[in-house]
Amino acid sequence: GAGVSQSPSNKVTEKGKDVELRCDPISGHTALYWYRQSLGQGLEFLIYFQGNSAPDKSGLPSDRFSAERTGGSVSTLTIQRTQQEDSAVYLCASSLPGGSSTDTQYFGPGTRLTVL
Amino acid sequence: QQQVKQSPQSLIVQKGGISIINCAYENTAFDYFPWYQQFPGKGPALLIAIRPDVSEKKEGRFTISFNKSAKQFSLHIMDSQPGDSATYFCAAGKAGYQKVTFGIGTKLQVIP
């Protein structure tokens, strides 16, 4: 079956521009996560959606970052006024609604963002 | 605050050797410890996981060793192969809480 898909796979933008990154989770997965992967920083949690509950935004690094999930499926991560330090790979993952850390997270291939 | 500390950040092992990656955690509420494997250009994928009620779990050439008193766990890759070359992440989670906390990752290179 189809896995988690992300688009675009690569995005080059100029400092100060806004970008939108898209994630299509596995069908039936109500939990969705966004992570940022930077060199030497591992997987940095950004935001978590679970069904109709209020998202956990505790990992968003600044108010330039926001995310939404429409219809409980597709999610969009938006970065406003991009900075060079935003350059990273942005990963999306989804999991079944078991509500536990033991639910396996299935990751997409990521979007590599480069801010010039 | 780094809740899961992973070392080393890079590791070079000869083919046939044993690769060992170590992780330590601080939060005693953690009760689930997965390892993820990431190949270049791909997202991480679950490799193996352990609960603290056992001290070891083995799946093929991959073994997790868990030391609850020391709050440490490690991944051992026996008979390492060039195809094992990837980045490995340890993680920790706690009951009733869906998020997991990832370590910084270890880039493993297995040379022929």
Side-chain angles (χ1 to χ4, degrees), chain A residues 39-78:
Chain A
L39 194 62
Q41 296 297 318
L43 288 172
E44 178 187 5
F45 166 77
L46 297 177
I47 188 169
Y48 161 57
F49 296 89
Q50 171 59 291
N52 295 321
S53 301
D56 180 344
K57 305 178 182 180
S58 60
L60 295 178
S62 77
D63 59 8
R64 296 186 296 105
F65 289 72
S66 63
E68 63 177 22
R69 190 175 185 191
T70 54
S73 181
V74 172
S75 178
T76 302
L77 177 69
T78 301

Side-chain angles (χ1 to χ4, degrees), chain A residues 31 33 35 37 40-43 45 48 50 56 58 91 95-105 107-109, chain B residues 9 31-32 34 36 38 41-46 51 87 89 92-100 102-105:
Chain A
Y33 308 77
Y35 295 90
Q37 185 173 17
Q41 296 297 318
L43 288 172
F45 166 77
Y48 161 57
Q50 171 59 291
D56 180 344
S58 60
L91 290 162
S95 69
L96 285 169
S100 170
S101 61
T102 57
D103 297 328
T104 300
Q105 293 186 31
F107 284 82
Chain B
Q9 289 193 37
D31 65 350
Y32 177 65
Y36 281 77
Q38 182 182 31
K42 306 288 186 181
L46 180 66
R51 302 295 293 268
T87 298
F89 293 94
K94 53 188 178 182
Y97 192 62
Q98 194 149 8
K99 283 164 53 181
V100 294
F102 286 88
I104 201 167

Side-chain angles (χ1 to χ4, degrees), chain B residues 26-107:
Chain B
E26 299 168 1
N27 190 341
T28 55
F30 286 144
D31 65 350
Y32 177 65
F33 304 91
W35 286 86
Y36 281 77
Q37 179 188 53
Q38 182 182 31
F39 292 106
K42 306 288 186 181
L46 180 66
L47 180 64
I48 186 173
I50 196 169
R51 302 295 293 268
D53 52 346
V54 296
S55 61
E56 186 175 284
K57 183 174 181 179
K58 184 175 181 179
E59 289 186 2
R61 296 183 293 108
F62 299 89
T63 299
I64 302 178
S65 297
F66 184 80
N67 185 330
K68 188 174 182 177
S69 61
K71 295 187 288 185
Q72 295 175 347
F73 57 110
S74 60
L75 176 69
H76 292 63
I77 307 174
M78 313 300 287
D79 187 26
S80 299
Q81 300 296 313
D84 297 330
S85 299
T87 298
Y88 293 81
F89 293 94
C90 64
K94 53 188 178 182
Y97 192 62
Q98 194 149 8
K99 283 164 53 181
V100 294
T101 300
F102 286 88
I104 201 167
T106 297
K107 186 173 183 179

Side-chain angles (χ1 to χ4, degrees), chain A residues 8-90:
Chain A
S9 55
N10 282 284
K11 176 72 175 179
V12 180
T13 190
E14 294 180 347
K15 178 181 173 181
K17 300 284 189 182
D18 297 351
V19 295
E20 284 190 352
L21 312 179
R22 177 187 169 106
C23 172
D24 283 90
I26 294 172
S27 177
H29 282 193
T30 61
L32 188 148
Y33 308 77
W34 282 98
Y35 295 90
R36 179 168 67 178
Q37 185 173 17
S38 308
L39 194 62
Q41 296 297 318
L43 288 172
E44 178 187 5
F45 166 77
L46 297 177
I47 188 169
Y48 161 57
F49 296 89
Q50 171 59 291
N52 295 321
S53 301
D56 180 344
K57 305 178 182 180
S58 60
L60 295 178
S62 77
D63 59 8
R64 296 186 296 105
F65 289 72
S66 63
E68 63 177 22
R69 190 175 185 191
T70 54
S73 181
V74 172
S75 178
T76 302
L77 177 69
T78 301
I79 308 174
Q80 296 178 311
R81 305 181 302 282
T82 52
Q83 303 295 313
Q84 289 182 331
E85 61 263 29
D86 299 334
S87 296
V89 175
Y90 290 83

